[in-house]
């Protein structure tokens, strides 16, 4: 191959790998290239490069560089930095959260773990997030560590963060459950996070002066009410579905066609009973 052909093939391979890397990054929503697809690709390329002779693995370089380019730049996933303030322990913890919306428009977070990724891709299990305000960065944090350049990043301060788990049945078993046993089937744990932003609650000034924990109590009460609203909405959906089923059943039972068929069946049953009685006599 000539130099021009090698250059064109390398550019084509790099372009294809960049498209694949961007697609993978937008699908997995990982900040760092530690998802299963990226790890499998780099492991396979490293194994093939090790087994081949020197300079025979030249074509893997544009593939890997193009994939990294597409993963980090083209398909870059946006995230926000949540800084969790813990006044009791005098601790402040910051972590990146990759947020997205499901098909119903609910806010979800993609945890940077293989288990949660596989749950979302293959089981449709999302990690829902409920907050008392919009989850957007509203502060600019400037940090200057020794021997490192100064950098700025947008953050969102929160005062309350709790993550609960509930089991969801994805597939019910045909076997009947035993006494005092839940229905058999395939259960998967789903996570739900509740967040309280770090802004002043509607607490009177006199109560703040008299009780130091007044603000914390108000925040806890708000979080409990948000949980109650979530479960009430979930229960309302179930009740609405059952009511619609009962309504359809009642209307269907009163339709003329069903009444005519029921009358016809009753007459046939009456004739059969009369014939059986005459034969017996």
């Amino acid at each position: 191959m000539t130099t021009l052909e090698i250059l064109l093939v390398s550019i084509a391979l790099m372009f294809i790998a960049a498209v694949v890397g961007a697609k993978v990054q937008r699908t997995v929503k990982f900040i760092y290239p530690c998802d299963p697809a990226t790890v499998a690709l780099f492991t396979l390329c490293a194994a093939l490069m090790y087994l081949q002779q020197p300079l025979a693995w030249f074509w893997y370089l544009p593939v890997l560089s193009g994939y990294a380019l597409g993963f980090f730049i083209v398909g870059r996933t946006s995230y926000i930095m949540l800084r969790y303030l813990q006044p009791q322990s005098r601790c402040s913890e910051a972590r990146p959260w990759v947020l997205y919306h499901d098909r119903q428009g609910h806010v979800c977070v993609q945890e940077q773990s293989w288990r949660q990724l596989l749950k979302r891709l293959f089981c449709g299990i999302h990690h829902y997030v409920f907050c008392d305000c919009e989850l957007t960065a509203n502060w600019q944090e400037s940090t200057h560590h020794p021997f490192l350049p100064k950098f700025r990043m947008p953050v969102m301060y929160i005062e309350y963060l709790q993550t609960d788990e509930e089991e969801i049945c994805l597939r019910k078993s045909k076997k009947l459950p035993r006494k005092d046993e839940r229905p058999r089937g395939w259960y998967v744990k789903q996570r739900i996070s509740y967040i309280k932003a770090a802004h002043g609650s509607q607490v009177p000034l006199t109560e703040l002066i008299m009780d130091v924990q007044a603000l914390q109590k108000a925040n806890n009460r708000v979080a409990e009410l948000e949980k109650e609203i979530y479960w009430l909405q979930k229960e309302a959906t179930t009740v609405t579905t059952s009511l619609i089923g009962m309504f359809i059943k009642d209307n269907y039972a009163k339709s003329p066609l069903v009444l005519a068929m029921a009358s016809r069946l009753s007459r046939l049953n009456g004739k059969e009973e009369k014939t059986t009685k005459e034969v017996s006599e």
Side-chain angles (χ1 to χ4, degrees), residues 14-227:
M14 184 178 294
F15 176 78
I16 296 173
V19 173
V20 174
K23 181 64 177 178
V24 169
Q25 210 278 342
R26 291 169 181 169
T27 302
V28 300
K29 303 183 186 302
F30 272 36
I31 301 176
Y32 305 106
C34 57
D35 58 278
T38 304
V39 172
L41 176 63
F42 276 75
T43 303
L44 178 62
C45 291
L48 294 177
M49 291 169 65
Y50 177 78
L51 295 176
Q52 291 181 355
Q53 298 179 357
L55 301 179
W57 40 261
F58 170 78
W59 299 109
Y60 294 103
L61 297 180
V63 173
L64 295 178
S65 59
Y67 185 90
L69 179 66
F71 192 95
F72 286 105
I73 300 178
V74 180
R76 185 177 180 181
T77 296
S78 59
Y79 63 91
I80 64 172
M81 293 295 298
L82 287 184
R83 183 167 290 279
Y84 182 25
L85 302 176
Q86 305 176 41
Q88 292 82 3
S89 58
R90 295 182 178 273
C91 178
S92 175
E93 179 184 357
R95 64 178 69 173
W97 278 44
V98 179
L99 301 176
Y100 67 95
H101 294 80
D102 63 353
R103 296 181 179 179
Q104 287 74 29
H106 298 145
V107 181
C108 310
V109 58
Q110 176 58 60
E111 298 186 48
Q112 307 296 296
S113 67
W114 287 22
R115 177 180 297 180
Q116 299 301 324
L117 173 63
L118 296 178
K119 282 184 179 181
R120 177 175 65 87
L121 295 179
F122 297 102
C123 302
I125 301 298
H126 301 274
H127 182 171
Y128 294 106
V129 181
F130 295 92
C131 184
D132 59 341
C133 66
E134 187 177 359
L135 284 169
T136 55
N138 50 13
W139 283 79
Q140 289 289 333
E141 187 174 281
S142 179
T143 307
H144 189 190
H145 294 284
F147 309 107
L148 293 176
K150 183 179 179 180
F151 63 92
R152 297 170 60 90
M153 61 179 179
V155 298
M156 177 180 179
Y157 288 87
I158 59 176
E159 294 180 354
Y160 179 85
L161 173 61
Q162 181 178 352
T163 302
D164 298 335
E165 289 186 347
E166 62 171 342
E167 290 189 342
I168 297 179
C169 183
L170 296 181
R171 182 181 300 174
K172 294 184 179 179
S173 176
K174 296 182 180 179
K175 297 182 180 180
L176 296 177
R178 299 177 181 177
K179 187 178 180 181
D180 298 335
E181 185 183 12
R182 69 179 183 181
R184 299 182 180 182
W186 180 23
Y187 288 86
V188 179
K189 291 184 178 181
Q190 181 184 36
R191 294 184 177 181
I192 304 173
S193 294
Y194 304 92
I195 295 176
K196 177 69 172 64
H199 55 74
S201 302
Q202 300 297 326
V203 181
L205 181 60
T206 55
E207 187 176 353
L208 286 174
I209 296 174
M210 296 174 61
D211 187 2
V212 180
Q213 300 294 330
L215 185 60
Q216 184 66 26
K217 292 178 181 178
N219 292 336
N220 295 338
R221 179 57 180 165
V222 170
E224 293 176 359
L225 291 175
E226 290 176 351
K227 293 181 183 179

